[in-house]
Structure formats: structure tokens, C-alpha cells
Amino acid sequence: MKAWAEDQKIDGSFVTFVSDPAGDLTKALDMEMTHPGPPSVGIIGRCKRFAIHAVKGEIKTVVVSEGPDDPAGDDDPSATLAEGFLEAIKAEE
């Protein structure tokens, strides 16, 4: 995760990347992809594309990019990209 943060030039910023190698957080947040598509090509236990806005440990907003025929949100990741996520955060108020 540190190398990825350095590559994205956010190392040392307020952004925190976290890993979930065993999928514990993914499962606890109910973000495990259950669509049959990914497992059919060998991708098991994949996490959905999501973003969480939390303030002092309180979750304010959760957005997920997925669709009926696009479980990974690859065709339309807009909800979890910066612009869409910032719009969701602004709508909290």
C-alpha cells in the first residue's frame, strides 16, 4: 500500500490506503462481490468498488459503483471517483 501511495503521490497526505488481504473488512462491510461473473473467471472474494466518508469514526456516506451487468463498476465507476464522491459528501448536509 505504501508503494501505491507513493506512486499516486499521496504518501503522507490525509488519504489513507488500507489493505484487506483476507477480506475481513470487505466481509464486515458487506462489500464482497457476490455476482457470479468474477468467480466464473477465477476472481474469488473480490471487493466491490466503494468509497466511505467517515468523520471521527462515524460513517457519513457510502457509495458503491456497480450495476446489474457490471458488478465491478468498470463501465461506470463515477459514484466512487473523486467528483461523484465529493457530490455525495456535499449532499450529506
Side-chain angles (χ1 to χ4, degrees):
M1 300 309 295
K2 184 169 175 52
W4 188 21
E6 289 171 359
D7 178 69
Q8 297 301 303
K9 301 186 181 19
I10 57 107
D11 192 35
S13 75
F14 67 92
V15 175
T16 303
F17 285 168
V18 294
S19 63
D20 186 24
D24 296 331
L25 180 61
T26 298
K27 291 172 188 153
L29 293 172
D30 195 27
M31 289 294 168
E32 187 171 13
M33 203 178 296
T34 57
H35 187 279
S40 73
V41 294
I43 303 171
I44 298 168
R46 180 172 172 185
C47 183
K48 294 179 181 181
R49 184 186 310 261
F50 73 98
I52 294 176
H53 178 230
V55 178
K56 297 182 180 178
E58 180 184 348
I59 294 175
K60 301 287 189 175
T61 299
V62 178
V63 293
V64 181
S65 289
E66 65 181 336
D69 295 321
D70 183 25
D74 294 333
D75 293 337
D76 183 13
S78 60
T80 53
L81 298 178
E83 186 175 325
F85 190 47
L86 289 173
E87 286 178 25
I89 290 170
K90 288 177 186 174
E92 291 171 6
E93 300 170 11

